[in-house]
């Protein structure tokens, strides 16, 4: 379930309509897939087992196809961060710094929890954070300033989708005014 947090990470609300309104105002597409699709998956081995990843992608084929066709995305993969991830601290430090990309950043949370900080462009509301857990998906449009961090469990597994040639470099300098 998505939770709306303040720009400082304090809980604001998990009332779905209120969370949705904040994201809509900021121009952030989002939604929730059917929880039934996520049951019975061995998340402990998912990141190290390509066959299991294939099986998961088949299980979610229908909503995945809808998401891809809605936004023109072509490819997908499954990634994750866990306490076992090499250099987790260094990776998280990079993600935590405010940045943007020249491609959309799309995530469907399969397991765990991740928090995005959003800095809306002018006229689209104040900065806020949103916490995502299993079934939640979000599209952070290209050139939208944002950052990302984990809860103390340090665990998130997510589906990413991409356009043909993703430009995944994080750009830390602010957008020109
Ligand atoms: Fe990013």
């Amino acid at each position: 379930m998505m939770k709306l947090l303040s720009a400082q990470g304090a809980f604001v609300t998990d009332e779905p309509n209120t969370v949705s309104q904040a994201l809509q105002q900021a121009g952030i597409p989002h939604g929730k897939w059917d929880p039934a699709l996520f049951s019975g998956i061995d998340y402990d081995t998912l990141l190290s087992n390509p066959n299991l990843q294939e099986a998961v992608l088949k299980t979610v084929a229908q909503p995945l196809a809808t998401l891809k066709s809605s936004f023109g995305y072509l490819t997908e993969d499954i990634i994750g961060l866990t306490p076992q991830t090499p250099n987790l601290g260094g990776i998280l430090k990079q993600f935590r710094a405010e940045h943007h990309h020249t491609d959309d950043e799309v995530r469907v949370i399969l397991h765990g929890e991740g928090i995005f900080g959003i800095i809306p462009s002018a006229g689209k509301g104040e900065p806020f954070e949103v916490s995502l857990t299993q079934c939640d998906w979000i599209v952070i449009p290209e050139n939208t300033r944002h950052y990302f961090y984990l809860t103390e469990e340090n665990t998130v597994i997510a589906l990413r989708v991409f356009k043909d040639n993703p430009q995944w470099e994080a750009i830390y300098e602010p957008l020109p005014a």
Side-chain angles (χ1 to χ4, degrees):
M1 166 179 282
M2 286 195 199
K3 287 181 286 193
L4 184 66
L5 311 177
S6 73
Q8 291 76 37
F11 176 81
V12 175
T13 184
D14 56 8
E15 198 283 308
N17 288 334
T18 312
V19 179
S20 204
Q21 274 170 17
L23 288 161
Q24 271 172 26
Q25 188 190 8
I28 310 286
H30 60 282
K32 189 177 167 71
W33 286 2
D34 179 359
L37 295 171
F38 296 80
S39 62
I41 297 169
D42 178 6
Y43 293 104
D44 287 339
T45 63
L46 182 58
L47 290 175
S48 58
N49 184 342
N51 292 332
L52 182 53
Q53 293 179 21
E54 280 295 304
V56 169
L57 291 175
K58 271 188 192 149
T59 304
V60 301
Q62 197 172 17
L64 178 59
T66 303
L67 182 66
K68 286 163 74 176
S69 65
S70 302
F71 295 95
Y73 304 129
L74 298 172
T75 58
E76 67 280 318
D77 68 4
I78 290 173
I79 50 111
L81 296 168
T82 73
Q84 286 74 44
T85 303
N87 189 31
L88 180 67
I91 295 168
L92 289 176
K93 200 175 165 191
Q94 287 186 326
F95 290 170
R96 182 82 193 224
E98 183 187 317
H99 63 274
H100 67 276
H101 310 277
T102 54
D103 273 320
D104 298 351
E105 179 166 332
V106 188
R107 297 289 183 273
V108 183
I109 306 299
L110 301 174
H111 178 68
E113 181 169 7
I115 299 162
F116 283 96
I118 310 281
I119 298 92
S121 49
K124 291 189 172 178
E126 294 299 312
F128 62 92
E129 296 183 354
V130 62
S131 159
L132 276 66
T133 55
Q134 191 172 68
C135 322
D136 296 331
W137 64 266
I138 193 166
V139 174
I140 298 181
E142 59 182 13
N143 296 327
T144 301
R145 300 288 286 172
H146 64 276
Y147 56 90
F148 179 81
Y149 65 100
L150 298 178
T151 61
E152 63 187 17
E153 277 77 29
N154 277 333
T155 299
V156 70
I157 301 177
L159 187 60
R160 305 190 288 189
V161 297
F162 305 102
K163 292 177 180 166
D164 208 5
N165 293 304
Q167 301 295 317
W168 267 96
E169 213 180 325
I171 302 169
Y172 294 97
E173 293 76 32
L175 283 159

